Amino acid sequence: MTVYGNFPGSRPRRLRTTPAMRRMVAETRLDPANLILPAFVREGIDRPVAISAMPGVQQHTLDTLRKAAVEAVSAGVSGIMLFGVPADEKKDARGTAGTDPDGILQVGLRAVREEVGDDLVVMSDLCLDEYTDHGHCGVLTADGRVDNDATLERYAEMAQVQADAGAHVVGPSGMMDGQVGVVRDALDQTGHEDVSILAYTAKYSSAFYGPFREAVGSSLKGDRKTYQQDPANARESLRELALDLEEGADMVMVKPAGPYLDILAKVADSVDVPVAAYQISGEYSMIEAAAEKGWIDRDAAIMESLTGIRRAGAQMILTYWATEAAQRLGRG
């Protein structure tokens, strides 16, 4: 082989020669503390119920929810985001089970706080969709539209009962205009000044939510395109971001994660508050399904997907693999 001077003068491959070398020069670090576990607690069951569209994920009883929280703490996971699944007969047009102090989400919050105290950041989904018989994230008008301002009144009530039940963080996820400000006022006026708000700032109307519908027993009729963001829009997310910060958001989120890494990067570059991303059910299920077929390396795909979300700027990642990934990182 003919060598021309010192060509090639630059050899980036020198920094990829061994696992130790690659680990030493890695630009992105994924740590158990970056991870948050979403979990579903269902009313009226005495054993966990598998979610067929999300292999490995289940609707918890209170007992198995407690165990999942303890396992997450042991793995080094930072937080748990709880979603309530009420009995079908308790759903109504206003989602009253969501503001019942003895509703399933509030019971679940109390159970987790009793079990792990402050060792895990206990978060609550603040939205009406799980509790309404029409499946929308708010109160409907007579002609079937979501009434933004009437919904805000319900969110204020939800914030109070969730904080009373022990939530460290509430996550208003309905994409109603003004939701963060109303929730902040409701918390402050009821003595919950220390409860944080994780704003679902850029929540897109996505096809990847499908498996989640089964997870929460959704009764959705129609779609949510009049309040969730259009996947075609990017600048709009920055407007939503500015509004949420002005209204008092402590942390902000992009959801879904993988298909919206460009939005995540824009948000992360624009703020000085913590940024989260939610790796949603469809993202989870695609990897699990492809791995079950033998088409991809499951474990490698999980870690690569999480690293990509972290690299794009997320300090916190909500993922159904949180405990499993944290355990693997701890062993590494």
Side-chain angles (χ1 to χ4, degrees):
M1 174 181 177
T2 302
V3 177
Y4 299 95
N6 65 347
F7 176 83
S10 296
R11 295 182 182 269
R13 287 182 56 188
R14 292 178 184 136
L15 301 183
R16 304 170 194 156
T17 52
T18 67
M21 177 69 79
R22 293 190 294 273
R23 185 171 62 248
M24 183 179 73
V25 301
E27 298 173 22
T28 301
R29 305 286 181 187
L30 184 63
D31 186 88
N34 299 128
L35 305 178
I36 297 167
L37 177 68
F40 307 100
V41 57
R42 178 173 169 179
E43 186 172 24
I45 57 174
D46 56 11
R47 65 188 65 185
V49 176
I51 300 169
S52 63
M54 300 176 68
V57 181
Q58 59 190 11
Q59 296 170 328
H60 286 286
T61 68
L62 290 174
D63 285 342
T64 62
L65 178 65
R66 288 174 180 270
K67 292 175 183 176
V70 170
E71 187 178 23
V73 171
S74 298
V77 170
S78 283
I80 187 168
M81 172 67 80
L82 298 189
F83 296 84
V85 185
D88 285 343
E89 62 269 19
K90 292 189 177 179
K91 295 181 180 183
D92 59 27
R94 292 181 56 80
T96 53
T99 50
D100 180 352
D102 293 319
I104 184 58
L105 179 54
Q106 285 67 253
V107 173
L109 288 167
R110 288 194 292 270
V112 172
R113 282 300 303 273
E114 289 169 3
E115 192 68 34
V116 299
D118 294 334
D119 291 340
L120 200 61
V121 179
V122 180
M123 305 178 170
S124 56
D125 177 61
L126 198 163
C127 196
L128 288 171
D129 59 323
E130 294 100 317
Y131 310 100
T132 55
D133 54 12
H134 47 72
H136 279 284
C137 298
V139 178
L140 301 185
T141 62
D143 60 357
R145 294 180 297 107
V146 175
D147 187 326
N148 191 94
D149 296 358
T151 298
L152 294 182
E153 295 180 13
R154 300 289 294 125
Y155 286 2
E157 297 175 50
M158 292 190 81
Q160 180 179 346
V161 297
Q162 290 178 2
D164 286 345
H168 294 107
V169 178
V170 296
S173 61
M175 291 300 287
M176 297 296 120
D177 294 338
Q179 63 184 13
V180 172
V182 166
V183 167
R184 183 72 270 160
D185 285 346
L187 292 170
D188 291 350
Q189 292 171 17
T190 54
H192 295 298
E193 296 89 350
D194 290 338
V195 174
S196 302
I197 297 176
L198 170 58
Y200 283 59
T201 291
K203 183 178 180 182
Y204 283 86
S205 179
S206 173
F208 293 95
Y209 294 130
F212 183 86
R213 306 281 188 253
E214 178 189 347
V216 296
S218 175
S219 303
L220 181 63
K221 301 175 179 67
D223 59 50
R224 296 174 176 149
K225 293 181 179 180
T226 63
Y227 45 102
Q228 293 178 350
Q229 281 188 248
D230 186 336
N233 293 349
R235 289 192 302 272
E236 182 182 40
S237 65
L238 298 181
R239 184 182 183 197
E240 293 279 5
L241 174 64
L243 290 168
D244 282 353
L245 293 174
E246 182 181 343
E247 292 172 23
D250 299 289
M251 301 170 278
V252 296
M253 185 196 292
V254 174
K255 180 181 182 181
Y260 296 91
L261 293 181
D262 60 325
I263 307 301
L264 175 58
K266 288 177 184 291
V267 169
D269 287 344
S270 302
V271 301
D272 57 4
V273 299
V275 176
Y278 197 145
Q279 186 180 52
I280 67 169
S281 59
E283 299 176 72
Y284 174 94
S285 296
M286 285 193 303
I287 290 178
E288 289 287 351
E292 191 275 331
K293 290 285 190 180
W295 293 340
I296 60 173
D297 180 324
R298 176 185 180 276
D299 292 354
I302 290 170
M303 301 311 289
E304 182 177 341
S305 68
L306 293 172
T307 300
I309 297 166
R310 180 81 177 95
R311 188 185 64 244
Q315 295 162 263
M316 303 167 292
I317 304 171
L318 287 83
T319 175
Y320 300 98
W321 290 302
T323 301
E324 177 186 344
Q327 291 168 339
R328 192 175 307 149
L329 289 166
R331 292 193 297 268

